Amino acid sequence: MEKKLLEIFKLANLLNEKNYNVYAQISYTANNSKTLEIAIRSKENYSYIQQCKVELSKETIISLDNIIELFERYIGGAANE
């Protein structure tokens, strides 16, 4: 799981650098549920474009893969107009 989290952080930084329209926002709460919240937001008006919440205390590999895929899609130009 640590490798996937590191990849998410790297992709979040890359998204901000490569995409002129959006950036990633990541928040983590270390309570019993260990909640990771990821959002893609507009640089223009800071509105939320995509939001995702993952409880890391449960099986999360698939969810983390989905977040990685989402970031890669935005970095690759799907929303880089």
Side-chain angles (χ1 to χ4, degrees):
M1 178 172 27
E2 292 83 5
K3 284 179 130 181
K4 295 208 180 285
L5 289 171
L6 182 58
E7 185 174 356
I8 287 172
F9 285 121
K10 287 179 180 179
L11 289 171
N13 285 327
L14 191 59
L15 175 63
N16 183 56
E17 293 169 7
K18 288 197 163 203
N19 194 303
Y20 299 110
N21 299 319
V22 298
Y23 68 94
Q25 177 178 315
I26 300 174
S27 300
Y28 177 71
T29 306
N31 58 9
N32 289 341
S33 64
K34 298 176 177 74
T35 305
L36 178 68
E37 297 180 56
I38 308 277
I40 294 180
R41 299 184 68 176
S42 167
K43 287 183 179 179
E44 182 180 339
N45 61 13
Y46 309 107
S47 62
Y48 289 92
I49 297 170
Q50 297 273 335
Q51 286 182 280
C52 181
K53 184 186 270 190
V54 178
E55 289 186 19
L56 298 179
S57 60
K58 299 179 180 177
E59 183 60 43
T60 59
I61 299 302
I62 294 171
S63 297
L64 295 179
D65 286 340
N66 290 342
I67 292 168
I68 290 168
E69 183 180 316
L70 176 68
F71 280 176
E72 288 174 340
R73 196 173 24 180
Y74 274 88
I75 290 168
N80 195 17
E81 301 168 353

